[in-house]
Amino acid sequence: MIFTNAPSDLDIVSDAIDEVNKLKGSDCRWDDLPTFDVDKDKTNFRQYEEACDRVKHFYKEQHEHLLQTAEAIRRDAKPEWMQVAGLVHDLGKLLHVFGSEGQWDVVGDTFVVGCKFSEKIIYHETFEGNPDSHDPVYSTEYGVYEPHCGLDNVMLSWGHDEYLYHVLKNQSSLPEDALYMIRYHSFYPWHRENAYQHLTNANDQRALEAVRAFNPYDLYSKSDEPADPEKLKPYYKNLIAKFFPEVIEW
């Protein structure tokens, strides 16, 4: 299936939006600490165990928040490629309309398969009914892998992160750090809980830094005021044209 960038969707940003979202300087590094969220109480985010049914349902059926993420990154004057990563990072959820079997193979935290399920995975106890939990190989610490083999050599649970990564790695000019952000942004057991250290190697450190730099914008921007798509279309059309071909094959 082929999708095209609609030429009427994005162009130059309006003067008003330029003033509101003015860059603070071109020398800002992508890995500088975020400033947009300094006044937010982060203790209320990702509190799954205490979440009411309404919050759990929202997480299951969540609407995409791509513009909020991209705008938070832009407000902190991060480079254009990182803004684009924020804008597209959840587009892999298109899997849901491409014949997926449900939410389970599209959204949710990702984890390593082929070895013991980490206790750092959210709702870890639900794996008890998975046959891999009792398999003589898959239930061991290393499973089918070698110590410190690196994340490039392990298989993650399938979802929108992995799907979009494979779509864009050969169909965009995004730098490697952006692809790390896209591929691993739901891999919370690793980048937040420090799980799977026995499988990672020195090459994964750069990926970890990139994902941790991106994560605050993905997570905490959800409480921001909704962005105005019509006003932002011109600005993001220009960015899309810089990093993507006119036609992307999905």
Side-chain angles (χ1 to χ4, degrees):
M1 186 174 293
I2 296 177
F3 285 77
T4 60
N5 295 327
S8 61
D9 278 351
L10 305 159
D11 205 3
I12 18 174
V13 72
S14 67
D15 291 341
I17 295 298
D18 275 334
E19 289 299 317
V20 172
N21 299 290
K22 192 176 294 180
L23 295 180
K24 293 182 287 187
S26 59
D27 58 347
C28 182
R29 286 171 49 88
W30 66 267
D31 54 353
D32 286 344
L33 292 176
T35 60
F36 82 99
D37 62 343
V38 292
D39 296 324
K40 293 183 179 180
D41 179 5
K42 302 181 180 66
T43 60
N44 293 322
F45 290 85
R46 291 186 66 82
Q47 297 299 314
Y48 292 98
E49 298 302 331
E50 301 173 7
C52 64
D53 289 341
R54 178 179 58 81
V55 174
K56 291 179 180 178
H57 181 73
F58 175 78
Y59 184 76
K60 181 179 180 182
E61 302 289 345
Q62 66 176 308
H63 295 284
E64 291 183 9
H65 62 109
L66 303 183
L67 277 175
Q68 287 177 312
T69 304
E71 282 295 279
I73 294 170
R74 183 157 75 118
R75 286 198 299 273
D76 274 357
K78 298 301 172 72
E80 290 181 339
W81 62 259
M82 189 171 176
Q83 297 173 36
V84 171
L87 182 67
V88 304
H89 74 279
D90 273 346
L91 287 185
K93 292 177 182 178
L94 286 169
L95 274 174
H96 194 56
V97 297
F98 290 166
S100 72
E101 296 185 17
Q103 298 265 348
W104 67 269
D105 62 351
V106 178
V107 296
D109 293 0
T110 53
F111 48 88
V112 178
V113 296
C115 65
K116 181 180 179 181
F117 295 116
S118 171
E119 294 181 359
K120 299 297 185 179
I121 303 171
I122 191 69
Y123 299 135
H124 170 267
E125 66 277 5
T126 62
F127 287 108
E128 182 59 30
N130 189 310
D132 287 359
S133 295
H134 311 286
D135 185 273
V137 175
Y138 300 151
S139 63
T140 62
E141 182 178 23
Y142 289 98
V144 300
Y145 308 114
E146 296 294 328
H148 302 293
C149 59
L151 293 183
D152 281 343
N153 295 307
V154 304
M155 183 177 294
L156 296 180
S157 57
W158 184 247
H160 69 282
D161 305 51
E162 190 73 358
Y163 171 63
L164 186 62
Y165 165 74
H166 285 288
V167 169
L168 297 184
K169 67 177 181 178
N170 296 320
Q171 297 189 83
S172 76
S173 59
L174 289 173
E176 190 172 39
D177 288 317
L179 295 177
Y180 287 146
M181 294 171 182
I182 290 168
R183 188 178 197 182
Y184 298 126
H185 74 269
S186 298
F187 194 13
Y188 280 92
W190 173 59
H191 70 73
R192 180 175 175 134
E193 304 295 339
N194 296 311
Y196 303 112
Q197 296 301 310
H198 59 296
L199 298 178
T200 58
N201 59 24
N203 293 332
D204 296 320
Q205 184 59 36
R206 179 69 179 190
L208 183 61
E209 293 171 359
V211 180
R212 284 180 172 171
F214 176 77
N215 182 244
Y217 300 102
D218 179 23
L219 186 58
Y220 303 126
S221 66
K222 294 175 182 177
S223 63
D224 290 351
E225 290 296 318
D228 187 334
E230 291 303 315
K231 290 183 178 180
L232 296 176
K233 281 180 180 180
Y235 176 77
Y236 285 107
K237 179 177 181 177
N238 282 343
L239 289 194
I240 289 171
K242 286 184 179 182
F243 293 96
F244 301 103
E246 184 177 350
V247 177
I248 294 178
E249 296 183 4
W250 294 84

